[in-house]
Amino acid sequence: MPAPADAAAPSVGLDIEVTLDPASAGKALPAGTQVFVIARVPGGPPMPVAVEKHPATALPLKIRLDDADSPMPTVKLSSLKDVEVFARLSASGTASRQEGDVDSEAVRVTLPHKGTISLVL
């Protein structure tokens, strides 16, 4: 039996590496600090089209964001032409931006994207 057509197509995804700025690397982080890696529509709503959450103790971090990381079943990463990708270091452990959170520079990419996107917190 032949495989479904969509099974043969490569999945659209983003390979991302998140690191701490060397100036911050030696500083102690509060217990429970989380890293959120977020892809969203450039200039669109703040709701991500793909997101992963990891403990800050996992830094440096190498991940792949793809459709499986979508919090909304109606909008998938693979359905977009461009996305904005960034990372957030959250002492509160929540994805919503709070005072004291640290965001990386946002990187705009066109999909499909080859190579690794480097984000520095």
Side-chain angles (χ1 to χ4, degrees):
M1 180 172 222
D6 61 344
S11 69
V12 171
L14 297 169
D15 293 314
I16 301 168
E17 180 177 37
V18 183
T19 58
L20 277 177
D21 182 295
S24 302
K27 296 179 183 175
L29 297 171
T33 299
Q34 300 291 312
V35 176
F36 291 88
V37 184
I38 301 165
R40 64 183 178 196
V41 176
M47 183 68 175
V49 295
V51 63
E52 282 192 16
K53 175 182 174 182
H54 297 273
T57 55
L59 290 168
L61 188 62
K62 290 184 180 184
I63 65 160
R64 180 169 178 86
L65 283 182
D66 57 26
D67 285 350
D69 299 307
S70 176
M72 300 179 299
T74 56
V75 180
K76 300 286 186 184
L77 188 64
S78 62
S79 69
L80 300 173
K81 181 180 178 193
D82 295 304
V83 293
E84 180 179 70
V85 182
F86 68 100
R88 173 171 294 142
L89 194 60
S90 171
S92 68
T94 62
S96 298
R97 185 146 199 359
Q98 309 236 347
E99 186 175 334
D101 287 356
V102 176
D103 288 356
S104 71
E105 293 276 333
V107 177
R108 187 174 180 152
V109 295
T110 299
L111 298 173
H113 183 275
K114 294 187 191 285
T116 301
I117 300 164
S118 294
L119 303 175
V120 179
L121 292 164

